[in-house]
Structures are given as C-alpha cells and as structure tokens.
Amino acid sequence: MTLTIGTKAPAFTLPATDGQEISLENLKGRKVVLYFYPKDDTSGCTREAQDFQALREDFAAAGTEIVGVSPDSVKSHDKFRTKHGLDFPLASDETKAMLEAYGVWVEKSMYGRKYMGVERTTLLIDRDGRIVRIWNKVKVPDHAKEVLEAAKALHS
C-alpha cells in the first residue's frame, strides 16, 4: 500500500520499550514523527536515533512525539535505548503487519541478493492522525533537523 499526504495514517497497536504499548489512537491530539528503521544498533540506525534524541527537547517544544519502529524485538529495543540513552519509545513489529500497512516492508537488494527489509522512511502525522509529510528512502545526515523544521511549521 502506498500512503499519500492528507490520508489517515493506518491504525496500529504495537508493543514498545519500557513495557509500553504504542497505538496511533493513544497519540491522537499530538503531532507524531513515526520513523521506520531497519535494525537496532547498526551504524545508520544508531546515528538516526541519536540525531532524533539530540533534538528531543525541540520536538517536545513543538508538541511532537517521536516513535521509532523496526521489526526487532522489544528486548532488542530496550538494550538499544539503554546503550544510546534514548528516551523516546521504540515500537516492535515482529509480525511486520504494521510495516506492511505503511508500505515500508519492501524487497531490497544488496550485492545482487534480494531480501525483504525496512525501507528507511519517516512520516509526520498531524493531531488528527492524518499524514502531512512523508520522507522515503531517508538519508540520515541532517534528516532529524529537516523533520523538526516540518513539525515546527505544522500548526494544526
């Protein structure tokens, strides 16, 4: 499924770090940065998480929650958060149902080998649960800053 700007973000409920459960319904009324990443503790994913963490207070000041999502287990997410001092939730989609609903579980290719994996993608969702911005095939450097600027500019 291809998501488009202006449509409702697909509903989800996922287990998350610190024994939490994250759902789109529980985030209503707040702006949400939903970022999808391939794997805990790999270089690009660590850098992306650290960049969002460094701007955490600025996102909070802009009334915006940050939620990271990958197919890794909650146990893996908890270790990753502790190791890198992250204080925003990481949700686990081991079944990949939510990743598929958001269109980020895709066929990838490396060295001629095809496999399924997460395409690094970020969505900005408004207070009503509508998608207002989509970043596909994210390049990590300066990405969190760009997302922050978009969140600040979103007044709804």
Side-chain angles (χ1 to χ4, degrees):
M1 177 179 161
T2 304
L3 300 178
T4 54
I5 291 172
T7 60
K8 284 263 188 210
F12 66 88
T13 301
L14 293 173
T17 46
D18 290 340
Q20 297 180 69
E21 196 172 74
I22 299 277
S23 73
L24 191 59
E25 185 61 32
N26 292 346
L27 295 167
K28 248 198 183 114
R30 291 173 275 177
K31 296 181 276 187
V32 179
V33 169
L34 200 56
Y35 84 93
F36 299 94
Y37 66 98
K39 189 155 181 49
D40 289 339
D41 232 6
T42 55
S43 61
C45 298
T46 298
R47 168 86 190 273
E48 185 175 26
Q50 289 172 327
D51 288 354
F52 276 116
Q53 180 62 42
L55 298 171
R56 179 87 165 86
E57 288 180 16
D58 296 320
F59 276 103
T64 307
E65 299 289 326
I66 302 167
V67 179
V69 182
S70 90
D72 290 321
S73 69
V74 170
K75 185 177 177 184
S76 173
H77 283 345
D78 279 330
K79 285 200 317 209
F80 182 53
R81 275 185 78 212
T82 300
K83 181 176 178 180
H84 297 288
L86 309 176
D87 70 356
F88 55 85
L90 299 177
S92 171
D93 186 15
E94 291 184 89
T95 68
K96 300 164 188 79
M98 186 257 203
L99 297 170
E100 287 175 359
Y102 277 78
V104 300
W105 185 249
V106 299
E107 185 175 79
K108 298 170 97 176
S109 179
M110 186 185 292
Y111 307 119
R113 187 179 71 84
K114 294 195 182 304
Y115 62 97
M116 295 301 289
V118 174
E119 184 173 283
R120 194 181 303 277
T121 305
T122 302
L123 280 81
L124 180 58
I125 301 170
D126 71 11
R127 288 173 168 62
D128 298 321
R130 294 200 177 278
I131 299 167
V132 293
R133 188 86 190 265
I134 302 169
W135 290 265
N136 291 308
K137 298 183 180 174
V138 166
K139 300 288 181 244
V140 173
D142 296 323
H143 175 62
K145 286 181 192 156
E146 186 181 338
V147 175
L148 175 60
E149 292 311 311
K152 285 179 178 176
L154 180 62
H155 297 292
S156 70

